[in-house]
């Protein structure tokens, strides 16, 4: 059995999301390192009774999700779990994958995603951007609808999550026009998403410039295992290419369907027949089952899942 790890992005956060790991030393140590790097108690943010609005704020969600993913990965490895043959991350999760692979030092990654979140939030004033999920419509029809609905504004297909599930993003009015047009063209549903930042569209180019400037001062090394990048569906060993892929990821689509297909088919490394979501929640497992139905799909949502995965391998 060949193992792949995939790391979730924003949307998987929840109060108490780490309770399945109790007082696991690797998990608590990872949260402490992140808290020290940011000067902020991240563990308290996800504890029972914490404020959900706090963890849903983009500037907190991004470092929290990265920390949670790395914490679970470290706990898995400390428990004797095997290293993956390949990894990928959905949007923000790409940074988690790189940190897990040792390409970016964890403390640097935590600070970097905090800066990324701040840059994204400042790129588009709150209330002027929007995102929506389009369900039950072919990708090419959605892309064409966005082009027709733009009318000089920005609206683009930005997350190709699975067959029949695509997220669009851009300026609020253009997204609303695109939603209406997609419904006219036969979409089963067009759902506005509760986000304040229109991720992965052209409106994020100012944020990408700030990210590029920050990355100039970050050491990026060769990953210990291949990490597939969202923008290109490719894995790189050249630090300059990795940095460039991270910058372009901010304003280019997340090509998740192609990434998971490549993982399963062995397009980067040995084809992985066990694709494991590493971090809170099971959102990616749900998507991945529809993309690579010939693989086994597992979510490491608690310590008990470690034993089940080891038995599977």
């Amino acid at each position: 059995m060949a193992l792949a790890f995939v790391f979730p992005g924003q949307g998987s956060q929840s109060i108490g999301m780490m309770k399945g790991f109790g007082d696991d030393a690797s998990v608590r140590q990872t949260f402490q390192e992140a808290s020290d790097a940011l000067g902020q108690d991240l563990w308290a943010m996800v504890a029972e009774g914490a404020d959900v609005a706090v963890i849903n704020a983009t500037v907190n969600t991004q470092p929290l999700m990265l920390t949670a993913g790395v914490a679970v990965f470290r706990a898995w490895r400390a428990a004797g779990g095997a290293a993956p043959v390949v990894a990928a991350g959905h949007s923000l999760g790409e940074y988690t994958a790189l940190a897990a692979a040792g390409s970016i030092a964890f403390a640097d990654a935590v600070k970097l995603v905090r800066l990324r979140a701040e840059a994204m939030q400042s790129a588009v004033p709150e209330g002027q951007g929007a995102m929506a999920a389009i369900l039950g419509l072919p990708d090419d029809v959605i892309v064409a609808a966005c082009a027709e609905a733009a009318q000089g504004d920005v609206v683009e297909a930005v997350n190709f999550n699975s067959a029949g599930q695509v997220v669009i993003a851009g300026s609020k009015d253009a997204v609303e026009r695109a939603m209406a047009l997609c419904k006219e063209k036969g979409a089963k549903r067009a759902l506005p998403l509760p986000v304040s930042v229109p991720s992965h569209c052209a409106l994020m180019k100012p944020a990408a410039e700030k990210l590029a400037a920050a990355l100039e001062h970050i050491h990026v090394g060769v990953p210990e295992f291949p990490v597939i990048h969202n923008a290109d569906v490719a894995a790189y060993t050249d630090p300059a290419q990795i940095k460039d892929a991270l910058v372009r990821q901010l304003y280019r689509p997340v090509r998740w369907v192609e990434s998971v297909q490549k993982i399963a088919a062995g397009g980067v490394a040995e084809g992985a027949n066990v694709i494991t979501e590493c971090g809170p929640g099971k959102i990616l497992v749900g998507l991945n089952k529809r993309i690579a139905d010939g693989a086994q799909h597992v979510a490491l949502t608690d310590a008990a899942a470690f034993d089940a995965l080891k038995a599977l391998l």
Side-chain angles (χ1 to χ4, degrees):
M1 291 286 200
L3 177 66
F5 269 15
V6 292
F7 295 87
Q10 290 183 246
S12 292
Q13 73 276 5
S14 64
I15 297 299
M17 65 186 186
M18 302 307 295
K19 65 182 179 182
F21 296 95
D23 287 323
D24 183 283
S26 296
V27 169
R28 293 302 295 263
Q29 177 60 33
T30 302
F31 268 80
Q32 187 60 54
E33 288 178 33
S35 298
D36 291 344
L38 296 178
Q40 190 175 19
D41 189 346
L42 298 190
W43 188 260
M45 284 189 191
V46 299
E48 295 289 350
D51 187 348
V52 68
V54 172
I55 69 167
N56 285 344
T58 298
V59 294
N60 294 326
T61 306
Q62 295 200 27
L64 276 171
M65 286 303 301
L66 182 139
T67 301
V70 171
V72 174
F73 180 80
R74 288 179 173 179
W76 163 255
R77 295 290 282 146
V85 297
V86 63
H90 191 283
S91 187
L92 167 75
E94 187 170 307
Y95 290 79
T96 317
L98 288 167
S103 179
I104 303 177
F106 177 57
D108 287 343
V110 171
K111 294 175 186 176
L112 188 62
V113 298
R114 167 61 58 83
L115 180 145
R116 178 181 184 265
E118 292 171 343
M120 291 171 71
Q121 190 68 72
S122 65
V124 179
E126 193 162 353
Q128 293 188 18
M131 299 182 76
I134 309 299
L135 307 180
L137 201 62
D139 294 358
D140 59 341
V141 177
I142 296 172
V143 171
C146 287
E148 184 179 342
Q151 299 178 21
D153 291 331
V154 171
V155 59
E156 302 166 4
V158 297
N159 286 8
F160 295 93
N161 287 333
S162 69
Q165 185 186 131
V166 174
V167 174
I168 64 174
S171 60
K172 187 173 184 292
D173 290 346
V175 168
E176 290 175 351
R177 290 193 297 268
M179 289 171 63
L181 197 54
C182 285
K183 287 180 181 177
E184 288 178 18
K185 293 179 180 294
K188 292 180 181 178
R189 301 184 76 182
L191 305 171
L193 300 179
V195 298
S196 58
V197 175
S199 303
H200 303 293
C201 72
L203 296 177
M204 288 293 106
K205 285 189 176 180
E209 292 174 3
K210 292 180 181 179
L211 180 64
L215 278 165
E216 290 182 5
H217 306 287
I218 299 290
H219 172 74
V220 172
V222 177
E224 294 168 8
F225 43 80
V227 173
I228 297 174
H229 294 273
N230 292 177
D232 303 327
V233 196
Y236 300 119
T237 56
D238 180 356
Q241 287 181 300
I242 293 172
K243 290 182 178 183
D244 178 61
L246 290 175
V247 171
R248 287 183 292 108
Q249 187 222 49
L250 263 185
Y251 59 86
R252 297 290 296 165
V254 174
R255 297 163 62 185
W256 192 248
V257 172
E258 294 171 88
S259 296
V260 175
Q261 288 173 339
K262 194 161 192 171
I263 286 172
V268 172
E270 178 185 356
N273 43 22
V274 180
I275 302 177
T276 302
E277 182 169 1
C278 186
K282 300 180 179 180
I283 289 177
L284 296 184
V285 165
L287 297 177
N288 296 346
K289 284 180 178 178
R290 297 196 288 273
I291 299 168
D293 59 4
Q296 300 261 22
H297 299 277
V298 178
L300 294 181
T301 54
D302 54 39
F306 287 6
D307 291 335
L309 179 56
K310 287 178 183 177
L312 185 61
L313 296 174

